[in-house]
Amino acid sequence: MAILKIETLGAEVLRRRAHEIQPSGEDPELDRLIEDMFETMYDAHGIGLAAPQVGISRRLIVVHVNEEGEEPFALLNPRIVEAGKAKEKGEEGCLSIPNISAAVERPATVVVEGLDPKGNEVRIEAEGMLARCLQHEIDHLDGILFLDRLSPLKRNMLVKKYRKQES
Ligand code: NI
């Protein structure tokens, strides 16, 4: 296993729409990538990580929202098939934008479909932190960052704050 380099704000790969990924049943390369993504996520104390964040423009995410007793899982080609009408605000950060966080409004519940690493269909009915995390990670696959979900004023303020700490 290996800890991968996490791409940060400004990296072009974070702004690209990632390509679909084909599970092949047995794929040692995919298995190793998933292991490395988990290790990278745990090392950075994150609860989710999308492949573009480690420089790989593929539709793959790993998630471990342990506060709700959820098991860790990897999801290929995840998509939101239903979003609840009720919205909820919650604090979010991102491993690609270190030390910056903000309250983001999102649907409180979502239904997500995708494939597990073996290619089996998966359907997840999520609420709370899991729903938020899934939406945040799926956004990454479309080149969207949580900053984009904020008002322009708030976003500019946070980008300035981020640039300041980076310099
Ligand atoms: Ni993120």
Side-chain angles (χ1 to χ4, degrees), residues 41-145:
M41 179 184 82
Y42 289 132
D43 178 67
H45 306 288
I47 60 170
L49 189 69
Q53 292 183 273
V54 293
I56 295 166
S57 197
R58 293 281 168 185
R59 304 187 79 78
L60 165 66
I61 64 173
V62 298
V63 171
H64 190 189
V65 182
N66 36 12
E67 74 179 26
E68 286 163 29
E70 296 280 343
E71 293 294 317
F73 63 89
L75 208 52
L76 286 68
N77 306 327
R79 61 193 189 281
I80 295 163
V81 294
E82 274 177 59
K85 280 202 183 75
K87 305 263 175 113
E88 218 168 58
K89 262 197 170 185
E91 200 71 8
E92 288 185 30
C94 181
L95 297 180
S96 293
I97 317 168
N99 306 316
I100 298 291
S101 67
V104 183
E105 189 174 77
R106 297 186 186 270
T109 58
V110 286
V111 179
V112 171
E113 289 181 356
L115 301 173
D116 73 11
K118 300 281 176 229
N120 302 303
E121 299 271 355
V122 178
R123 180 181 165 92
I124 301 168
E125 294 179 15
E127 57 177 26
M129 191 56 92
L130 180 60
R132 178 167 299 280
C133 183
L134 283 166
Q135 292 175 79
H136 177 117
E137 300 312 328
I138 292 170
D139 269 354
H140 273 301
L141 305 181
D142 293 323
I144 297 167
L145 301 173

Side-chain angles (χ1 to χ4, degrees), residues 20-36:
E20 299 260 310
I21 185 165
Q22 290 303 321
S24 60
E26 291 296 327
D27 183 347
E29 216 168 299
L30 175 63
D31 290 343
R32 191 170 55 236
L33 172 61
I34 290 170
E35 278 182 19
D36 288 348

